[in-house]
Amino acid sequence: MKKQVLVAGGGIGGLAAALGASRAGWDVRLYERAAAFSEVGAGVQIGPNVVRRLQAWGLQQPLQAVAAFPSRLQVRNAVSGKELAVLPLGPTAVQRYGAAYATIHRADLHGLLLSAVTKYTDTQLHLEHAIDGFTDAEGVVTVRTSRGKEVEGDALIGADGLWSRTRTQLLGAVPPRVTGHLAYRALVPQHALPDALRTGQVTAWLGPRLHAVQYPVRRGELQNIVVIVQGPAPHDLENWDHAANAAGLEHALQGTCTALQDVVRSVGAAGGPGWRLWPLCDRPQVRAADEMAQGLVALLGDAAHPMRPYLAQGAGMAIEDAAELHRALAMHDLDVPLRLTRYALNRWERNARVQARSIRNGRIFHATGPVRWGRDLSLRLLGERLLDVPWLYRGDGSSASSL
């Protein structure tokens, strides 16, 4: 008889976990709090390390149908507008790392995972069901859902995001950490932009206490624009998607170059939904394997290691987690707690490294004074070497020894 895994959360991490567990030969029941599967947000960058995972699950063609594949990454000074460095992507990324560098709408990534789960697995999907709590006893994990049901399984995967209830019960009620950074995000149809503002590449603008990123998504039809500034967060953090006033963003960008301000103003001129505001939260980096798995319960994605977006790997680490979960659950000669321990042992250090590097990158991106001058000089002299991340793009977290 197949073993059964219960998955809390139907976002990118939860669906990837369901896909991985199904491919490992487990029956899967997934519980999602919302009344429909959907994904908020805007663009996601997925490096070759993540694209390889999707390819291994047979999702190369669905990815090609919805993603964009930028030709290069360009870094510019947000004040002067000058180019600081370039990293070739496109065919160069494929040659170096065996897979492309892709940019994709978050909803499209969620959609291709949902399609794979529904078409190629027997996963039971339960909408309007949150997992409110669990017990782990006598070789069985029992969950209580928001509808008052009790369901037994052989393992529980908490992929229920930043405010994970699974994490709270497993590790204690410690709230996420407010970073003091605010992300303004917008999507603009490229056809609504002047030719000079359309793009087929990733451009990062680095300024004092802020940075901006723009890149194509949805086959290049849309442009994703993100501006992250330092400032106080709204009070109601759990309701974290807030309508944002473009005037506040324009005020934050005073002193930046005309080229960047033109990009930001294009959002209003294009007549779309405009800017959305997210206060960014994270948690301290993972310190040990038991922060990702204990007994019959494991954490995955933002439930385990929410991270700042300065390495563009939040969704990527959730997908890598799911790929390692696939490998661990397929170890049928081991008992389930040991399989989940193997999963955690092979993931926690890589996730911690990405969390730490993301924080470090944020400090570099937003640097002021002499540090900013040194950053710009280093990028001009060593550009491609500084922008490339071989340890990240070559790895996939498949074993601790690969770190």
PDB file of all heavy atoms in Angstrom, residues 242-270:
ATOM      1  N   HIS A 242      -0.804  45.494  -0.247  1.00  0.00           N
ATOM      2  CA  HIS A 242      -1.495  46.761  -0.048  1.00  0.00           C
ATOM      3  C   HIS A 242      -1.488  47.570  -1.348  1.00  0.00           C
ATOM      4  O   HIS A 242      -0.502  47.594  -2.067  1.00  0.00           O
ATOM      5  CB  HIS A 242      -0.793  47.600   1.029  1.00  0.00           C
ATOM      6  CG  HIS A 242      -0.725  46.909   2.357  1.00  0.00           C
ATOM      7  ND1 HIS A 242      -1.635  47.123   3.359  1.00  0.00           N
ATOM      8  CD2 HIS A 242       0.145  46.004   2.846  1.00  0.00           C
ATOM      9  CE1 HIS A 242      -1.324  46.385   4.399  1.00  0.00           C
ATOM     10  NE2 HIS A 242      -0.235  45.692   4.117  1.00  0.00           N
ATOM     11  N   ALA A 243      -2.570  48.258  -1.628  1.00  0.00           N
ATOM     12  CA  ALA A 243      -2.568  49.220  -2.728  1.00  0.00           C
ATOM     13  C   ALA A 243      -1.573  50.320  -2.396  1.00  0.00           C
ATOM     14  O   ALA A 243      -1.475  50.780  -1.268  1.00  0.00           O
ATOM     15  CB  ALA A 243      -3.970  49.805  -2.910  1.00  0.00           C
ATOM     16  N   ALA A 244      -0.793  50.714  -3.367  1.00  0.00           N
ATOM     17  CA  ALA A 244       0.271  51.683  -3.113  1.00  0.00           C
ATOM     18  C   ALA A 244       0.053  52.938  -3.940  1.00  0.00           C
ATOM     19  O   ALA A 244      -0.450  52.888  -5.052  1.00  0.00           O
ATOM     20  CB  ALA A 244       1.625  51.077  -3.454  1.00  0.00           C
ATOM     21  N   ASN A 245       0.448  54.042  -3.391  1.00  0.00           N
ATOM     22  CA  ASN A 245       0.337  55.324  -4.056  1.00  0.00           C
ATOM     23  C   ASN A 245       1.615  55.586  -4.839  1.00  0.00           C
ATOM     24  O   ASN A 245       2.705  55.617  -4.277  1.00  0.00           O
ATOM     25  CB  ASN A 245       0.126  56.424  -3.000  1.00  0.00           C
ATOM     26  CG  ASN A 245      -0.216  57.757  -3.622  1.00  0.00           C
ATOM     27  OD1 ASN A 245       0.129  58.015  -4.772  1.00  0.00           O
ATOM     28  ND2 ASN A 245      -0.890  58.590  -2.864  1.00  0.00           N
ATOM     29  N   ALA A 246       1.484  55.769  -6.157  1.00  0.00           N
ATOM     30  CA  ALA A 246       2.657  56.003  -6.998  1.00  0.00           C
ATOM     31  C   ALA A 246       3.411  57.256  -6.581  1.00  0.00           C
ATOM     32  O   ALA A 246       4.623  57.356  -6.784  1.00  0.00           O
ATOM     33  CB  ALA A 246       2.229  56.103  -8.461  1.00  0.00           C
ATOM     34  N   ALA A 247       2.700  58.204  -5.979  1.00  0.00           N
ATOM     35  CA  ALA A 247       3.377  59.427  -5.540  1.00  0.00           C
ATOM     36  C   ALA A 247       4.434  59.123  -4.482  1.00  0.00           C
ATOM     37  O   ALA A 247       5.505  59.749  -4.449  1.00  0.00           O
ATOM     38  CB  ALA A 247       2.359  60.425  -4.996  1.00  0.00           C
ATOM     39  N   GLY A 248       4.141  58.168  -3.614  1.00  0.00           N
ATOM     40  CA  GLY A 248       5.124  57.793  -2.606  1.00  0.00           C
ATOM     41  C   GLY A 248       6.369  57.196  -3.219  1.00  0.00           C
ATOM     42  O   GLY A 248       7.490  57.448  -2.764  1.00  0.00           O
ATOM     43  N   LEU A 249       6.190  56.425  -4.266  1.00  0.00           N
ATOM     44  CA  LEU A 249       7.338  55.848  -4.958  1.00  0.00           C
ATOM     45  C   LEU A 249       8.144  56.931  -5.662  1.00  0.00           C
ATOM     46  O   LEU A 249       9.381  56.938  -5.609  1.00  0.00           O
ATOM     47  CB  LEU A 249       6.868  54.788  -5.945  1.00  0.00           C
ATOM     48  CG  LEU A 249       7.958  54.128  -6.785  1.00  0.00           C
ATOM     49  CD1 LEU A 249       9.027  53.508  -5.917  1.00  0.00           C
ATOM     50  CD2 LEU A 249       7.336  53.077  -7.708  1.00  0.00           C
ATOM     51  N   GLU A 250       7.454  57.848  -6.322  1.00  0.00           N
ATOM     52  CA  GLU A 250       8.179  58.926  -7.004  1.00  0.00           C
ATOM     53  C   GLU A 250       8.982  59.752  -6.015  1.00  0.00           C
ATOM     54  O   GLU A 250      10.109  60.174  -6.314  1.00  0.00           O
ATOM     55  CB  GLU A 250       7.196  59.802  -7.784  1.00  0.00           C
ATOM     56  CG  GLU A 250       6.636  59.127  -9.021  1.00  0.00           C
ATOM     57  CD  GLU A 250       6.133  60.125 -10.059  1.00  0.00           C
ATOM     58  OE1 GLU A 250       6.589  61.288 -10.045  1.00  0.00           O
ATOM     59  OE2 GLU A 250       5.288  59.740 -10.868  1.00  0.00           O
ATOM     60  N   HIS A 251       8.444  59.955  -4.834  1.00  0.00           N
ATOM     61  CA  HIS A 251       9.183  60.700  -3.816  1.00  0.00           C
ATOM     62  C   HIS A 251      10.451  59.946  -3.412  1.00  0.00           C
ATOM     63  O   HIS A 251      11.521  60.547  -3.245  1.00  0.00           O
ATOM     64  CB  HIS A 251       8.296  60.936  -2.590  1.00  0.00           C
ATOM     65  CG  HIS A 251       8.991  61.632  -1.464  1.00  0.00           C
ATOM     66  ND1 HIS A 251       9.264  62.980  -1.480  1.00  0.00           N
ATOM     67  CD2 HIS A 251       9.487  61.150  -0.285  1.00  0.00           C
ATOM     68  CE1 HIS A 251       9.899  63.319  -0.368  1.00  0.00           C
ATOM     69  NE2 HIS A 251      10.052  62.225   0.373  1.00  0.00           N
ATOM     70  N   ALA A 252      10.334  58.617  -3.277  1.00  0.00           N
ATOM     71  CA  ALA A 252      11.497  57.814  -2.883  1.00  0.00           C
ATOM     72  C   ALA A 252      12.583  57.827  -3.949  1.00  0.00           C
ATOM     73  O   ALA A 252      13.769  57.649  -3.643  1.00  0.00           O
ATOM     74  CB  ALA A 252      11.061  56.378  -2.614  1.00  0.00           C
ATOM     75  N   LEU A 253      12.187  58.063  -5.204  1.00  0.00           N
ATOM     76  CA  LEU A 253      13.150  58.025  -6.300  1.00  0.00           C
ATOM     77  C   LEU A 253      13.728  59.395  -6.643  1.00  0.00           C
ATOM     78  O   LEU A 253      14.447  59.528  -7.640  1.00  0.00           O
ATOM     79  CB  LEU A 253      12.489  57.430  -7.544  1.00  0.00           C
ATOM     80  CG  LEU A 253      12.157  55.935  -7.450  1.00  0.00           C
ATOM     81  CD1 LEU A 253      11.409  55.481  -8.692  1.00  0.00           C
ATOM     82  CD2 LEU A 253      13.411  55.105  -7.258  1.00  0.00           C
ATOM     83  N   GLN A 254      13.434  60.405  -5.843  1.00  0.00           N
ATOM     84  CA  GLN A 254      14.032  61.713  -6.081  1.00  0.00           C
ATOM     85  C   GLN A 254      15.553  61.602  -6.040  1.00  0.00           C
ATOM     86  O   GLN A 254      16.114  60.967  -5.156  1.00  0.00           O
ATOM     87  CB  GLN A 254      13.557  62.716  -5.033  1.00  0.00           C
ATOM     88  CG  GLN A 254      12.118  63.154  -5.215  1.00  0.00           C
ATOM     89  CD  GLN A 254      11.691  64.171  -4.170  1.00  0.00           C
ATOM     90  OE1 GLN A 254      12.438  64.494  -3.251  1.00  0.00           O
ATOM     91  NE2 GLN A 254      10.468  64.677  -4.295  1.00  0.00           N
ATOM     92  N   GLY A 255      16.189  62.183  -7.000  1.00  0.00           N
ATOM     93  CA  GLY A 255      17.637  62.116  -7.069  1.00  0.00           C
ATOM     94  C   GLY A 255      18.163  61.015  -7.958  1.00  0.00           C
ATOM     95  O   GLY A 255      19.370  60.946  -8.219  1.00  0.00           O
ATOM     96  N   THR A 256      17.281  60.129  -8.435  1.00  0.00           N
ATOM     97  CA  THR A 256      17.725  59.107  -9.370  1.00  0.00           C
ATOM     98  C   THR A 256      17.684  59.665 -10.794  1.00  0.00           C
ATOM     99  O   THR A 256      17.107  60.722 -11.060  1.00  0.00           O
ATOM    100  CB  THR A 256      16.858  57.837  -9.272  1.00  0.00           C
ATOM    101  OG1 THR A 256      15.498  58.175  -9.572  1.00  0.00           O
ATOM    102  CG2 THR A 256      16.935  57.238  -7.876  1.00  0.00           C
ATOM    103  N   CYS A 257      18.268  58.923 -11.727  1.00  0.00           N
ATOM    104  CA  CYS A 257      18.426  59.416 -13.092  1.00  0.00           C
ATOM    105  C   CYS A 257      17.099  59.446 -13.844  1.00  0.00           C
ATOM    106  O   CYS A 257      16.140  58.765 -13.498  1.00  0.00           O
ATOM    107  CB  CYS A 257      19.444  58.565 -13.846  1.00  0.00           C
ATOM    108  SG  CYS A 257      18.918  56.867 -14.107  1.00  0.00           S
ATOM    109  N   THR A 258      17.077  60.222 -14.894  1.00  0.00           N
ATOM    110  CA  THR A 258      15.878  60.365 -15.715  1.00  0.00           C
ATOM    111  C   THR A 258      15.458  59.034 -16.327  1.00  0.00           C
ATOM    112  O   THR A 258      14.261  58.720 -16.407  1.00  0.00           O
ATOM    113  CB  THR A 258      16.123  61.386 -16.835  1.00  0.00           C
ATOM    114  OG1 THR A 258      16.448  62.655 -16.244  1.00  0.00           O
ATOM    115  CG2 THR A 258      14.887  61.562 -17.706  1.00  0.00           C
ATOM    116  N   ALA A 259      16.429  58.221 -16.733  1.00  0.00           N
ATOM    117  CA  ALA A 259      16.103  56.954 -17.380  1.00  0.00           C
ATOM    118  C   ALA A 259      15.310  56.041 -16.449  1.00  0.00           C
ATOM    119  O   ALA A 259      14.319  55.423 -16.864  1.00  0.00           O
ATOM    120  CB  ALA A 259      17.385  56.256 -17.839  1.00  0.00           C
ATOM    121  N   LEU A 260      15.713  55.962 -15.186  1.00  0.00           N
ATOM    122  CA  LEU A 260      14.974  55.137 -14.232  1.00  0.00           C
ATOM    123  C   LEU A 260      13.611  55.744 -13.942  1.00  0.00           C
ATOM    124  O   LEU A 260      12.604  55.030 -13.867  1.00  0.00           O
ATOM    125  CB  LEU A 260      15.774  54.970 -12.936  1.00  0.00           C
ATOM    126  CG  LEU A 260      15.054  54.220 -11.803  1.00  0.00           C
ATOM    127  CD1 LEU A 260      14.584  52.846 -12.254  1.00  0.00           C
ATOM    128  CD2 LEU A 260      15.958  54.115 -10.580  1.00  0.00           C
ATOM    129  N   GLN A 261      13.546  57.035 -13.788  1.00  0.00           N
ATOM    130  CA  GLN A 261      12.261  57.672 -13.510  1.00  0.00           C
ATOM    131  C   GLN A 261      11.302  57.508 -14.684  1.00  0.00           C
ATOM    132  O   GLN A 261      10.088  57.371 -14.483  1.00  0.00           O
ATOM    133  CB  GLN A 261      12.476  59.144 -13.161  1.00  0.00           C
ATOM    134  CG  GLN A 261      13.234  59.317 -11.855  1.00  0.00           C
ATOM    135  CD  GLN A 261      13.148  60.737 -11.299  1.00  0.00           C
ATOM    136  OE1 GLN A 261      12.170  61.439 -11.540  1.00  0.00           O
ATOM    137  NE2 GLN A 261      14.164  61.141 -10.551  1.00  0.00           N
ATOM    138  N   ASP A 262      11.826  57.475 -15.894  1.00  0.00           N
ATOM    139  CA  ASP A 262      10.971  57.221 -17.059  1.00  0.00           C
ATOM    140  C   ASP A 262      10.361  55.824 -16.990  1.00  0.00           C
ATOM    141  O   ASP A 262       9.182  55.630 -17.338  1.00  0.00           O
ATOM    142  CB  ASP A 262      11.782  57.376 -18.353  1.00  0.00           C
ATOM    143  CG  ASP A 262      12.074  58.825 -18.700  1.00  0.00           C
ATOM    144  OD1 ASP A 262      11.437  59.727 -18.098  1.00  0.00           O
ATOM    145  OD2 ASP A 262      12.949  59.055 -19.561  1.00  0.00           O
ATOM    146  N   VAL A 263      11.153  54.847 -16.571  1.00  0.00           N
ATOM    147  CA  VAL A 263      10.645  53.486 -16.429  1.00  0.00           C
ATOM    148  C   VAL A 263       9.510  53.453 -15.413  1.00  0.00           C
ATOM    149  O   VAL A 263       8.449  52.861 -15.641  1.00  0.00           O
ATOM    150  CB  VAL A 263      11.779  52.526 -16.000  1.00  0.00           C
ATOM    151  CG1 VAL A 263      11.216  51.172 -15.598  1.00  0.00           C
ATOM    152  CG2 VAL A 263      12.797  52.366 -17.115  1.00  0.00           C
ATOM    153  N   VAL A 264       9.707  54.100 -14.278  1.00  0.00           N
ATOM    154  CA  VAL A 264       8.704  54.090 -13.214  1.00  0.00           C
ATOM    155  C   VAL A 264       7.441  54.824 -13.657  1.00  0.00           C
ATOM    156  O   VAL A 264       6.316  54.355 -13.423  1.00  0.00           O
ATOM    157  CB  VAL A 264       9.296  54.714 -11.939  1.00  0.00           C
ATOM    158  CG1 VAL A 264       8.214  54.935 -10.883  1.00  0.00           C
ATOM    159  CG2 VAL A 264      10.394  53.806 -11.384  1.00  0.00           C
ATOM    160  N   ARG A 265       7.576  55.941 -14.310  1.00  0.00           N
ATOM    161  CA  ARG A 265       6.399  56.710 -14.756  1.00  0.00           C
ATOM    162  C   ARG A 265       5.637  55.975 -15.852  1.00  0.00           C
ATOM    163  O   ARG A 265       4.439  56.211 -16.044  1.00  0.00           O
ATOM    164  CB  ARG A 265       6.831  58.088 -15.244  1.00  0.00           C
ATOM    165  CG  ARG A 265       7.360  58.991 -14.131  1.00  0.00           C
ATOM    166  CD  ARG A 265       7.512  60.431 -14.589  1.00  0.00           C
ATOM    167  NE  ARG A 265       8.069  61.249 -13.525  1.00  0.00           N
ATOM    168  CZ  ARG A 265       9.307  61.752 -13.511  1.00  0.00           C
ATOM    169  NH1 ARG A 265      10.116  61.531 -14.548  1.00  0.00           N
ATOM    170  NH2 ARG A 265       9.742  62.473 -12.494  1.00  0.00           N
ATOM    171  N   SER A 266       6.320  55.075 -16.573  1.00  0.00           N
ATOM    172  CA  SER A 266       5.642  54.344 -17.643  1.00  0.00           C
ATOM    173  C   SER A 266       4.527  53.463 -17.111  1.00  0.00           C
ATOM    174  O   SER A 266       3.593  53.131 -17.839  1.00  0.00           O
ATOM    175  CB  SER A 266       6.651  53.490 -18.415  1.00  0.00           C
ATOM    176  OG  SER A 266       7.077  52.371 -17.646  1.00  0.00           O
ATOM    177  N   VAL A 267       4.592  53.083 -15.841  1.00  0.00           N
ATOM    178  CA  VAL A 267       3.562  52.220 -15.260  1.00  0.00           C
ATOM    179  C   VAL A 267       2.218  52.932 -15.271  1.00  0.00           C
ATOM    180  O   VAL A 267       1.196  52.381 -15.683  1.00  0.00           O
ATOM    181  CB  VAL A 267       3.950  51.790 -13.835  1.00  0.00           C
ATOM    182  CG1 VAL A 267       2.806  51.048 -13.160  1.00  0.00           C
ATOM    183  CG2 VAL A 267       5.210  50.931 -13.869  1.00  0.00           C
ATOM    184  N   GLY A 268       2.193  54.178 -14.815  1.00  0.00           N
ATOM    185  CA  GLY A 268       0.951  54.944 -14.836  1.00  0.00           C
ATOM    186  C   GLY A 268       0.495  55.267 -16.245  1.00  0.00           C
ATOM    187  O   GLY A 268      -0.702  55.203 -16.553  1.00  0.00           O
ATOM    188  N   ALA A 269       1.467  55.589 -17.123  1.00  0.00           N
ATOM    189  CA  ALA A 269       1.108  55.964 -18.489  1.00  0.00           C
ATOM    190  C   ALA A 269       0.537  54.797 -19.277  1.00  0.00           C
ATOM    191  O   ALA A 269      -0.253  54.994 -20.207  1.00  0.00           O
ATOM    192  CB  ALA A 269       2.344  56.522 -19.199  1.00  0.00           C
ATOM    193  N   ALA A 270       0.909  53.559 -18.910  1.00  0.00           N
ATOM    194  CA  ALA A 270       0.437  52.391 -19.655  1.00  0.00           C
ATOM    195  C   ALA A 270      -1.008  52.040 -19.336  1.00  0.00           C
ATOM    196  O   ALA A 270      -1.618  51.216 -20.034  1.00  0.00           O
ATOM    197  CB  ALA A 270       1.334  51.192 -19.356  1.00  0.00           C
TER     198      ALA A 270
END
